[in-house]
Amino acid sequence: MNINQRISIIIVNFNGLKDTLELLSSIDRFLNHDFVEVIVVDNGSVIDETIRIKSIYPNTKTIRSNQNLGFAGGNNLGIKESVGEYIILLNNDTLLIDNSLMQVPALLEIDGSVGVISPKILFLEPSGYIQYAGYSLMSSITIRNKTIGFMEKDNGVHDLRLETPYSHGAAMILRRNVIEKVGLMPEVFFLYYEEMDWCEQIRAKGIKIMYEPAITIIHKEGMSVGKQSPMKKYYMVRNRLLFAKRNRKGVLRMLSVFYQLFIAVPKDIALLVIKGEVRMALASLKGAISFLI
């Protein structure tokens, strides 16, 4: 096969060797390495985990960054080193359950106007429940949206391919020429909202994004476990404001930023203080301040 027709899978690892090895095992089981290159970016892990990965999966290309470049930075590092015409970005805590990723070239060629697809994503626990089957459009002012199918039983209702405004960061599949037209994933966010911002840029170029249920993966992220932390709160507050600044114009931009700074964030802080979650409240405040400075 011509090297330009290969599929490149990018996996960013940050102190997550166990999960990364389990994902690589599932890739090794289901995918044909003659047509797929696998790149693992060790994104500033305390210990260089590429050594262990390379010893078990010698066909996997590994890249070591001595500092944490963030979600976008880690993926971009892998993209720059990849050769495939089709790029698959997978969270290291995902798992393949079949060989459906081998259909990526055919699925993307169904419609030449489609440049990005995201698969159906299921929770690991409880088994058989949906995490993602597409997104709704982001609200102009509140910068909120809904995940289609979230926490619903996978009973076939969401088995129809449909256009969606945003891909899911845990499993994002792109043509290389989309990246050539739009540029790499924006690194200014560091963590959270970067794929949403990227999708805004992609759609602005007239490129369609599709939810593709012909591909299904498992995501180990739980429905309720680990949903909040001070770090996540900080970046969610900061980056929601940053997203509004970058993707809203004129009056809408002013209204959205005003709403976040003077309604949403103060309300969030007050509720957290009432609950006794002072560290979370401080993280929310710091996120807003970080945006302002």
Side-chain angles (χ1 to χ4, degrees):
M1 181 179 249
N2 189 300
I3 195 168
N4 292 322
Q5 297 177 316
R6 294 182 65 194
I7 297 170
S8 296
I9 297 177
I10 315 296
I11 303 162
V12 176
N13 174 79
F14 174 67
N15 298 322
L17 182 61
K18 181 177 181 294
D19 283 333
T20 298
L21 290 176
E22 288 177 1
L23 171 56
L24 290 173
S25 176
S26 70
I27 290 172
D28 205 45
R29 178 182 178 188
F30 291 115
L31 302 188
N32 186 338
H33 283 274
D34 291 336
F35 303 100
V36 177
E37 71 164 352
V38 180
I39 300 173
V40 175
V41 178
D42 187 52
N43 199 20
S45 296
V46 174
I47 299 172
D48 184 352
E49 296 183 343
T50 63
I51 299 169
R52 177 71 170 157
I53 291 166
K54 198 68 178 176
S55 69
I56 300 174
Y57 297 101
N59 291 329
T60 296
K61 183 174 184 177
T62 57
I63 303 169
R64 167 70 176 176
S65 172
N66 289 323
Q67 62 177 348
N68 185 348
L69 302 175
F71 180 77
N75 275 301
N76 288 342
L77 188 59
I79 291 169
K80 290 174 187 176
E81 295 296 321
S82 66
V83 299
E85 182 182 353
Y86 306 98
I87 310 293
I88 302 175
L89 308 180
L90 288 179
N91 272 18
N92 76 314
D93 62 345
T94 58
L95 291 170
L96 306 192
I97 57 174
D98 56 30
N99 67 351
S100 55
L101 278 178
M102 296 301 299
Q103 302 178 56
V104 161
L107 290 169
L108 273 170
E109 296 309 324
I110 290 174
D111 182 346
S113 66
V114 175
V116 182
I117 57 177
S118 259
K120 180 192 292 181
I121 302 177
L122 302 181
F123 288 108
L124 178 64
E125 293 292 341
S127 177
Y129 281 81
I130 296 172
Q131 180 181 27
Y132 168 89
Y135 278 124
S136 66
L137 196 62
M138 196 82 71
S139 165
S140 297
I141 304 297
T142 65
I143 314 298
R144 305 275 184 166
N145 69 330
K146 293 183 179 180
T147 308
I148 298 169
F150 184 73
M151 295 179 68
E152 293 181 22
K153 184 72 175 175
D154 184 24
N155 56 13
V157 171
H158 297 287
D159 284 349
L160 181 66
R161 188 184 213 227
L162 53 83
E163 189 170 355
T164 180
Y166 307 105
S167 179
H168 197 292
M172 192 172 186
I173 303 165
L174 311 89
R175 300 177 193 266
R176 180 175 294 278
N177 63 12
V178 169
I179 300 171
E180 292 168 352
K181 291 175 184 176
V182 176
L184 293 165
M185 193 183 296
E187 297 184 17
V188 65
F189 292 89
F190 191 78
L191 190 65
Y192 303 118
Y193 274 92
E194 53 274 277
E195 76 273 20
M196 298 288 192
D197 187 278
W198 205 20
C199 286
E200 290 277 354
Q201 297 176 42
I202 289 167
R203 288 190 293 112
K205 295 288 187 181
I207 301 166
K208 290 181 181 177
I209 302 168
M210 303 294 290
Y211 159 65
E212 180 50 79
I215 304 172
T216 300
I217 68 161
I218 298 293
H219 193 193
K220 295 177 185 175
E221 182 179 78
M223 284 185 178
S224 59
V225 177
K227 282 187 175 290
Q228 288 294 348
S229 69
M231 182 181 72
K232 180 173 182 177
K233 174 63 71 175
Y234 167 85
Y235 280 112
M236 290 297 284
V237 170
R238 169 188 177 269
N239 292 352
R240 190 175 289 119
L241 282 157
L242 187 57
F243 181 93
K245 180 181 177 181
R246 286 168 55 90
N247 295 287
R248 300 293 180 261
K249 297 179 180 179
V251 174
L252 276 181
R253 176 190 290 167
M254 290 188 294
L255 287 173
S256 183
V257 171
F258 178 89
Y259 171 81
Q260 302 299 327
L261 287 176
F262 297 104
I263 299 175
V265 173
K267 179 182 177 181
D268 184 48
I269 292 171
L271 290 173
L272 289 168
V273 170
I274 290 169
K275 293 177 182 177
E277 298 182 28
V278 177
R279 290 179 65 237
M280 296 290 285
L282 286 173
S284 185
L285 177 62
K286 289 177 182 177
I289 293 172
S290 177
F291 167 77
L292 290 170
I293 62 175

